[in-house]
Amino acid sequence: MLMKLALSGMKSKLKDYLVLLAGLVISISIFYMFQTMAWNRSFTENNAVINSIQLVYVLGTILLSAITFFYILYANGFLLSLRQREFGLYMVLGARKDKIRKLMFIETIVLGMVSLAAGLGIGFGLSALVGRLMAQQLQADLTGYYPVYGPAIGFTVLFFVALFIFSALWNQLKLARMQVLQLLHGSMRADRPWRSSGWKKVMVVVGVIAILLGYLSLTFMEQLREIGLFTATIMTPLGTYLLFMAFLPPLVARLKKSHQLRGIRAFTFGQLSFRINELTKLLATVAMLIALGAGAIAGGLAFWNDAFIRGETYRVYDATVHDPNEAETNVLAGIPFKERFTYRYKLDNEILYYAKEDLESQRPLVHSQQGRDYWDQLKRVEDPLPKATADSAGKAVAGESANSSAGGVAGESADGTAASADTGIESGVEGETAGGIENGESLSSDWTTFLWQIAPTNLSYSDVRLADNVQFDALEAKEQIVVIGRTDDFLAYRSSWEKLDQLAMEKSEGMGVTWSKYENYQRALGISSGTMFMGFFLGIAFLAMMASCLMFKILSGAAKDIQRYEMLHKLGVRRERLSRSIYTELLLVFLFPGIAGLLHVLVGMRLFSFILAEPYYRLWLPILLFAVIYSAYYFITVNLYKRIVLR
Amino acid sequence: MAIKPVIEMNKVSKIYGGKTENQVFALNDVSFTMQEGEFIGIMGASGSGKTTLLNVVSTLDHPTEGTVAIAGTDITRMKARELSDFRAQRLGFIFQEFNLLDNLTVYENVALPLSLQDLPVHQIMDRVGKVLEQLGIAELADKYPATISGGQRQRTAAARAIVHEPALLLGDEPTGSLDTKNAVGLLEQMKRLNEQQQISILMVTHDAFSASYCSRILFIQDGRLVQELYRLGSREAFYKQILNVLGDYGAAAAEAAAKELSAVEDRG
């Protein structure tokens, strides 16, 4: 009989149960999504550029477990609050307490199992969907990734069954300690306004220290390695929680005080200040989830950008075309180059001669220094060119030097190119600078680097020399040209580069390799796409969890607020003003964790500095992306809330 | 000072249910006029339509037919926004429950009607201070509603209802959740407001004792005004008078109900 009553009671609060169930299901499916990565060791290790990726996942699991743990506990507290009045009524009518406790236990477990089944189902779907979408968008190869993955299922089930049993027992304990009257009037309990106290000051101090430690370990991750990873994982959330708990309530109290007599704003801040105490922990959680979500997406994008940076490091000029044929000329004509140079050269007797006048009159751009950090710092080559060496005397000198070292140049230029293309990072030129031409007449290192970047890859030669116009014309070899060009935006003309590469391949009849900037870029992209996928996948998962947390909390408290808005309406507050009050209130609720989360991301991106050239490059893009998602989500929440309280 | 009407209700009906359905007359052709400075009570049994009447007067509900004018303004033709502003500026409310916003202090609650109108701060502080003093709750200013007694809460509500000097004070069972001592306290306050500040009060109640503080009582039954009672003598005498009327109606109603019941039984 009691069971029947309980069921009908559940039916009458179907809407609340659906909100609760949705929250549980989302958190389970996201936990599962994360686990499909964490447990699939072979996939993550094959696809990540980070060495200790497995450790990252272990720590991620710990963090996510902790967040989920508190989320579930909170959700179950909500469940109890939904039911306690009804249970109190049963007890007044003579139901025994142990019966009620049994009922509550069964309800918690059943709800847990239902949400676990639904959560796993949705988790499968989400993993498959996000996986496929990402694979399409990033053109990433995801062999080895399984949306339905046994170990992940096992761990998720184990974790949540344990969690639900724990929270069922927790509810038991709470129920056992409550008196009938407390049960009956549970919802009448007033929220307490914030009060200052000594141990809150301790909280501030500990919180500041914790967050500093966390930020320090993020900043010096390269030196601290695994220890840094651990401290960052523990200290950053700890600091966030403590500071949110210590700072938010007095901040809101101050806001309220200063708007005490400012009409509806007095109400808005009054509302907020009453709510903020129970909101702080949730908002800190939300801040952490934002940090993780936006951080994962920003990290993924940073790996994407890294491919571009590698391309830029590899070559200054976007296109290098030797002896363009008609098709190539057409493609080149279609690209709005900011700078386009043509150089003549001849290959005679295993020696490559460049027309000195061309180089003199079209001085190229080179990187101001070697290394990844200087990928976007360019300078024009100012060094004087050595005397043309194509005359007989020069030939002898050069010939000598060629004997001692130029053999090395030729050999090195061939495999040097290959090597540099393979690693994709170093341009591998340093060696030749010394080796090439070392006397006073020698080419400066900038010139050497540049010449070798434009050198034809399909010809073999043992030395590189300059020839003035007379000498150059006197050479009997065929005159060839190389066209180089640089645009404002390498990525904007990707299709053109691809076409040029294709044409070059056709021209060489499959014999040569283009070693182009575009090819290098593509190769780097291929390496980082796995990491990128993980970043986006986890980013979406974390943001979805954040969304469900916040929305759940705000909407579950909305029922209590109906009376307040009703009263204001009766007192003659216009609907628009009530609506504006809601917008302001929720804006603040969204703003605090949003800012804190982004701050974490800004500091946390340093984490990648040991693997990426520029983790902060174009960081505005993921931040903008996040801002758009977050604002959309803000408006949705406001409207859902408005629909509940402003009837 | 010439006496002006505060409320003019003209043939007001409020009908629930569509044309094809069973129509229920919550109000049926109600007309009455309330003069400035009057203290009127509306009495009737549960479901007689007294709360609907109050809701119509307080612009929270629209009449199906008829017109309602308050302080010379026809409220039946106003738009939602105008109604809100009208309520904020011209009406004061005391309800039985959920009177105060529990997230604001006593002071902030009382200041709300003024601050909603964006009055200058010094003016707000001036008026709120006076009203709190007048109702004897000045020392509670910084307390939250949850931490004060029921009687104090109702006095705060009364303070909030009159702080903006409304044309009309409306009460919906204002003493409904108070014990006798606190109820008397509140009623005395209302009487003083009525007599000393000439505030017009319209109050719905089912309690004869509360009603005896009024200067006139309207009895409502099944949506119709059935009787009017003016107070001529002492409050005690008026109280007896009210009880008599209620007794008559009670007896009549019981008789009617018994008749109906026996008719049903006969048929059965």
Side-chain angles (χ1 to χ4, degrees):
Chain A
M1 184 58 204
L2 207 54
M3 202 73 163
K4 224 174 177 177
L5 274 174
L7 270 177
S8 73
M10 277 176 91
K11 235 181 258 167
S12 67
K13 286 191 168 171
L14 197 62
K15 225 166 96 188
D16 294 308
Y17 274 95
L18 283 180
V19 173
L20 178 65
L21 203 64
L24 293 176
V25 165
I26 288 175
S27 78
I28 291 168
S29 54
I30 281 155
F31 190 85
Y32 172 76
M33 270 171 91
F34 188 84
Q35 298 308 323
T36 58
M37 288 265 177
W39 288 85
N40 198 337
R41 190 175 281 237
S42 61
F43 173 76
T44 51
E45 277 172 0
N46 282 336
N47 284 280
V49 199
I50 304 166
N51 289 330
S52 38
I53 187 79
Q54 213 47 47
L55 183 67
V56 170
Y57 275 105
V58 170
L59 289 173
T61 303
I62 293 173
L63 202 60
L64 191 60
S65 305
I67 290 172
T68 315
F69 176 78
F70 288 113
Y71 181 67
I72 298 284
L73 266 197
Y74 168 72
N76 273 294
F78 176 65
L79 175 68
L80 183 66
S81 77
L82 273 183
R83 302 292 275 160
Q84 60 184 16
R85 209 184 132 76
E86 202 181 321
F87 286 162
L89 206 63
Y90 295 156
M91 277 164 77
V92 169
L93 296 176
R96 281 187 11 227
K97 204 170 191 176
D98 56 332
K99 265 256 171 71
I100 299 279
R101 281 169 58 181
K102 210 166 106 194
L103 210 63
M104 187 75 211
F105 190 84
I106 293 171
E107 196 174 314
T108 314
I109 296 294
V110 167
L111 197 70
M113 293 307 124
V114 169
S115 52
L116 187 56
L120 277 179
I122 290 178
F124 297 157
L126 270 182
S127 307
L129 184 76
V130 175
R132 186 168 312 160
L133 276 181
M134 288 292 138
Q136 258 170 27
Q137 284 298 307
L138 308 176
Q139 282 147 17
D141 177 30
L142 296 178
T143 35
Y145 176 72
Y146 312 109
V148 179
Y149 191 59
I153 299 172
F155 185 73
T156 309
V157 168
L158 213 68
F159 179 75
F160 279 97
V161 167
L163 211 54
F164 281 122
I165 290 177
F166 178 83
S167 58
L169 291 173
W170 182 263
N171 274 349
Q172 293 287 295
L173 211 71
K174 262 167 83 180
L175 209 54
R177 279 167 40 195
M178 271 201 231
Q179 302 301 314
V180 184
L181 284 177
Q182 270 177 303
L183 283 173
L184 269 177
H185 302 299
S187 60
M188 307 278 282
R189 190 171 41 95
D191 312 284
R192 297 242 150 242
W194 185 86
R195 292 228 154 61
S196 169
S197 76
W199 68 271
K200 272 177 184 138
K201 279 176 196 126
V202 176
M203 233 157 71
V204 174
V205 174
V206 176
V208 168
I209 292 173
I211 206 113
L212 280 179
L213 279 177
Y215 277 6
L216 274 177
S217 14
L218 282 171
T219 312
F220 298 104
M221 191 62 77
E222 205 169 349
Q223 289 81 357
L224 294 166
R225 295 271 159 187
E226 276 80 9
I227 301 170
L229 219 47
F230 273 113
T231 26
T233 312
I234 294 165
M235 287 303 170
T236 317
L238 183 71
T240 311
Y241 278 94
L242 287 175
L243 290 184
F244 263 71
M245 291 196 293
F247 273 128
L248 269 193
L251 179 72
V252 172
R254 187 163 304 169
L255 271 177
K256 185 194 168 199
K257 189 115 197 153
S258 65
H259 291 91
Q260 200 178 22
L261 298 175
R262 293 269 59 94
I264 191 74
R265 254 181 272 168
F267 170 78
T268 309
F269 291 119
Q271 177 92 328
L272 197 57
S273 78
F274 254 75
R275 194 173 277 173
I276 203 73
N277 269 325
E278 52 177 70
L279 266 182
T280 47
K281 278 169 232 120
L282 178 95
L283 291 186
T285 309
V286 167
M288 285 314 299
L289 285 171
I290 287 174
L292 291 172
I297 289 178
L301 268 180
F303 276 92
W304 192 43
N305 288 327
D306 195 53
F308 166 70
I309 291 171
R310 281 171 192 233
E312 289 292 318
T313 315
Y314 178 63
R315 289 283 191 274
V316 174
Y317 287 90
D318 300 339
T320 308
V321 183
H322 290 274
D323 288 332
N325 58 23
E326 206 186 323
E328 285 175 320
T329 313
N330 282 341
V331 175
L332 286 173
I335 305 168
F337 284 114
K338 217 170 74 180
E339 192 168 283
R340 178 181 162 160
F341 296 147
T342 306
Y343 302 103
R344 288 170 295 149
Y345 64 87
K346 282 182 178 176
L347 180 71
D348 187 35
N349 255 340
E350 297 256 308
I351 294 173
L352 192 60
Y353 294 95
Y354 283 102
K356 187 180 168 188
E357 272 73 15
D358 290 355
L359 295 172
E360 197 77 68
S361 61
Q362 308 172 78
R363 287 178 174 270
L365 290 167
V366 290
H367 290 116
S368 63
Q369 282 181 63
Q370 297 295 338
R372 287 196 300 180
D373 293 348
Y374 302 97
W375 65 275
D376 60 344
Q377 291 174 27
L378 302 178
K379 65 168 185 197
R380 206 159 284 285
V381 181
E382 299 290 355
D383 306 329
L385 282 162
K387 225 173 77 193
T389 49
D391 59 349
S392 51
K395 217 171 200 168
V397 176
E400 219 175 285
S401 79
N403 281 341
S404 60
S405 58
V409 177
E412 224 169 291
S413 71
D415 16 350
T417 324
S420 79
D422 268 344
T423 55
I425 307 166
E426 302 91 350
S427 38
V429 206
E430 289 95 338
E432 280 117 284
T433 326
I437 308 144
E438 62 246 60
N439 53 25
E441 295 290 310
S442 68
L443 286 160
S444 70
S445 70
D446 285 343
W447 276 116
T448 320
T449 309
F450 173 70
L451 285 182
W452 134 209
Q453 285 186 356
I454 63 167
T457 51
N458 54 346
L459 303 177
S460 63
Y461 50 89
S462 57
D463 197 8
V464 176
R465 293 181 197 176
L466 303 183
D468 59 31
N469 272 348
V470 181
Q471 292 164 345
F472 191 79
D473 289 342
L475 289 166
E476 272 164 25
K478 191 184 99 192
E479 182 184 303
Q480 293 178 287
I481 56 165
V482 54
V483 180
I484 60 171
R486 178 175 168 78
T487 58
D488 281 335
D489 187 356
F490 171 71
L491 296 177
Y493 306 105
R494 271 175 293 184
S495 57
S496 301
W497 314 138
E498 193 180 350
K499 205 172 287 165
L500 281 177
D501 274 7
Q502 261 170 23
L503 291 169
M505 289 296 278
E506 281 167 23
K507 205 162 59 175
S508 67
E509 286 152 354
M511 291 298 289
V513 190
T514 55
W515 305 123
S516 69
K517 181 171 176 175
Y518 179 72
E519 192 182 306
N520 191 280
Y521 164 74
Q522 279 295 320
R523 193 185 302 244
L525 201 61
I527 294 170
S528 50
S529 70
T531 316
M532 212 156 65
F533 166 71
M534 287 179 216
F536 274 81
F537 186 91
L538 297 180
I540 289 170
F542 283 130
L543 287 185
M545 178 116 177
M546 176 278 295
S548 98
C549 266
L550 200 52
M551 194 182 277
F552 176 52
K553 175 69 200 177
I554 289 171
L555 296 186
S556 67
K560 264 195 201 168
D561 301 332
I562 295 175
Q563 282 165 13
R564 293 178 189 157
Y565 287 99
E566 184 94 332
M567 155 109 3
L568 284 171
H569 175 67
K570 281 185 183 171
L571 285 179
V573 183
R574 288 186 191 175
R575 238 185 107 87
E576 306 91 275
R577 269 181 117 178
L578 289 178
S579 161
R580 234 178 303 147
S581 161
I582 291 173
Y583 269 107
T584 316
E585 187 195 333
L586 291 187
L587 179 70
L588 287 170
V589 167
F590 270 74
L591 209 58
F592 293 131
I595 289 173
L598 283 185
L599 200 65
H600 286 353
V601 172
L602 284 181
V603 177
M605 287 308 282
R606 295 267 330 192
L607 176 76
F608 294 108
S609 62
F610 69 92
I611 184 150
L612 297 177
E614 299 248 335
Y616 289 93
Y617 178 69
R618 287 195 181 164
L619 188 61
W620 59 266
L621 187 67
I623 287 180
L624 186 75
L625 196 72
F626 163 75
V628 169
I629 296 174
Y630 200 56
S631 340
Y633 172 57
Y634 161 70
F635 284 107
I636 293 172
T637 311
V638 166
N639 280 306
L640 284 175
Y641 181 77
K642 261 168 64 182
R643 211 172 293 168
I644 297 177
V645 296
L646 300 183
R647 287 176 303 188
Chain B
M1 193 173 76
I3 289 180
K4 290 181 293 183
V6 190
I7 303 176
E8 289 169 288
M9 251 193 170
N10 196 8
K11 300 192 166 161
V12 167
S13 295
K14 176 76 193 177
I15 305 166
Y16 290 108
K19 289 208 169 86
T20 52
E21 299 162 55
N22 222 358
Q23 291 193 338
V24 179
F25 280 76
L27 291 179
N28 196 347
D29 201 23
V30 173
S31 302
F32 78 96
T33 304
M34 177 179 182
Q35 303 297 338
E36 201 173 70
E38 266 196 293
F39 189 168
I40 294 187
I42 294 172
M43 296 197 76
S46 304
S48 57
K50 55 187 192 306
T51 300
T52 308
L53 179 64
L54 191 76
N55 280 344
V56 167
V57 171
S58 60
T59 75
L60 292 168
D61 210 343
H62 283 285
T64 320
E65 278 164 33
T67 55
V68 182
I70 295 177
T73 319
D74 183 357
I75 59 168
T76 42
R77 290 216 205 115
M78 284 205 254
K79 298 209 174 70
R81 294 175 59 144
E82 294 171 321
L83 285 176
S84 282
D85 293 349
F86 183 81
R87 279 203 297 279
Q89 286 155 18
R90 312 303 304 271
L91 301 181
F93 290 96
I94 312 177
F95 311 102
Q96 178 177 359
E97 274 174 280
F98 310 129
N99 245 322
L100 303 172
L101 290 161
D102 51 8
N103 51 18
L104 297 180
T105 61
V106 165
Y107 189 91
E108 288 158 355
N109 260 294
V110 175
L112 196 61
L114 298 180
S115 58
L116 281 173
Q117 292 177 38
D118 295 323
L119 253 59
V121 171
H122 65 92
Q123 219 171 318
I124 296 179
M125 289 166 73
D126 213 40
R127 296 261 285 275
V128 175
K130 239 181 245 164
V131 171
L132 289 179
E133 204 62 52
Q134 190 185 346
L135 287 164
I137 45 173
E139 67 275 18
L140 304 175
D142 290 328
K143 293 234 161 88
Y144 282 90
T147 60
I148 61 177
S149 76
Q152 290 168 328
R153 255 178 261 170
Q154 269 325 45
R155 264 187 284 166
T156 308
R160 191 188 58 192
I162 59 164
V163 72
H164 56 302
E165 292 170 2
L168 177 62
L169 180 60
L170 299 167
D172 185 2
E173 305 275 8
T175 57
S177 53
L178 295 182
D179 57 48
T180 320
K181 192 177 142 232
N182 278 313
V184 170
L186 183 67
L187 287 165
E188 289 289 342
Q189 286 291 359
M190 289 171 75
K191 197 176 109 190
R192 233 170 294 152
L193 289 171
N194 175 246
E195 285 168 0
Q196 291 168 10
Q197 298 187 27
Q198 296 298 304
I199 294 178
S200 318
I201 304 176
L202 180 73
M203 173 174 85
V204 158
T205 183
H206 65 268
D207 170 36
F209 177 74
S210 298
S212 67
Y213 277 83
C214 302
S215 56
R216 173 154 70 121
I217 311 253
L218 303 172
F219 291 91
I220 186 167
Q221 193 178 30
D222 298 333
R224 290 174 187 276
L225 286 183
V226 285
Q227 192 170 353
E228 249 180 299
L229 210 59
Y230 282 90
R231 175 167 155 196
L232 302 168
S234 70
R235 196 181 60 69
E236 285 74 18
F238 195 44
Y239 176 55
K240 295 225 168 76
Q241 237 179 319
I242 296 167
L243 282 182
N244 283 336
V245 174
L246 286 180
D248 289 350
Y249 279 110
E255 216 169 288
K259 241 183 225 165
E260 209 168 295
L261 222 96
S262 64
V264 171
E265 271 166 13
D266 286 348
R267 250 178 283 152

